[in-house]
Amino acid sequence: MKRHIILHPDPRLKKTSAPVADLSDALRSLADDMLETMYDAPGIGLAAPQVGVLDRLIVLDCVKLDSEAPRPLIMFNPEIVAASDEQNVYEEGCLSIPEQFADVTRPRMVQVRWIDRDGNEQTEEMDGLWATCVQHEIDHLDGKLFIDHLKPLKRQMITRKMVKLKRERAREKA
């Protein structure tokens, strides 16, 4: 089932998510819904707070080429356990901040540990777009948006555009 994606500014996007203590069928179902929502948007990552759930859950799939098989990842309680000193700059966007993009600098490679949908601990080294995406989504779990990595003026400009967009969408629904 497709979920509604919360748009910035919204106080729920600034809250820290709670660790998942026990994998329930409801949480697995939420993860499936999040993947469907992410693919439909379309996006390459989505965090539970973006659909109004303050649990430490993210989904991602950074496979871009149609010739490659999709690689959906569901991560409960993801954490970065190591990061490279080498940095990478990517133009980031966010499903909660549509049509707004900015260059963000993050570690080029990260080692991530998480619990998969079957309750098994997984560890993987990610680099490039995968590393950027997983860091971006984990930031959401800590109440941080990609625009929080920007200079205040640029962040304020994007936030003003988002307030205007939300107002326009509200008028269209009325």
Side-chain angles (χ1 to χ4, degrees), residues 5-10 13 95-98 162 165-166 169:
I5 297 173
I6 295 170
L7 297 181
H8 168 72
D10 187 297
L13 294 173
L95 296 177
S96 291
I97 310 176
M162 287 305 303
L165 176 72
K166 285 176 81 170
R169 287 188 178 180

Side-chain angles (χ1 to χ4, degrees), residues 8-9 158-168:
H8 168 72
I158 289 173
T159 298
R160 278 196 300 275
K161 287 179 181 177
M162 287 305 303
V163 168
K164 184 179 174 193
L165 176 72
K166 285 176 81 170
R167 215 175 318 148
E168 288 168 1

Side-chain angles (χ1 to χ4, degrees), residues 35-69:
L35 277 172
E36 182 182 342
T37 303
M38 177 192 79
Y39 285 129
D40 183 70
I44 60 170
L46 188 66
Q50 293 178 273
V51 295
V53 179
L54 293 176
D55 285 329
R56 295 190 80 79
L57 164 62
I58 64 173
V59 298
L60 52 148
D61 185 348
C62 298
V63 172
K64 294 274 208 166
L65 302 174
D66 290 337
S67 60
E68 286 184 57

Side-chain angles (χ1 to χ4, degrees), residues 18-37:
V20 173
D22 191 26
L23 289 189
S24 63
D25 287 342
L27 278 171
R28 286 184 185 91
S29 180
L30 169 63
D32 294 338
D33 290 353
M34 287 172 56
L35 277 172
E36 182 182 342
T37 303

Side-chain angles (χ1 to χ4, degrees), residues 5-15 47 49-50 92-98 102-106 132 135-151 155 158-159 162 166:
I5 297 173
I6 295 170
L7 297 181
H8 168 72
D10 187 297
R12 292 171 288 184
L13 294 173
K14 301 306 282 177
K15 291 188 177 353
Q50 293 178 273
E92 293 188 28
C94 181
L95 296 177
S96 291
I97 310 176
D103 286 345
V104 177
T105 303
R106 298 182 186 270
T132 296
Q135 291 173 83
H136 175 114
E137 299 309 328
I138 290 172
D139 272 358
H140 275 296
L141 303 180
D142 297 325
K144 194 171 188 178
L145 301 171
F146 86 91
I147 60 173
D148 294 328
H149 292 274
L150 306 178
K151 290 188 168 40
R155 184 171 54 244
I158 289 173
T159 298
M162 287 305 303
K166 285 176 81 170

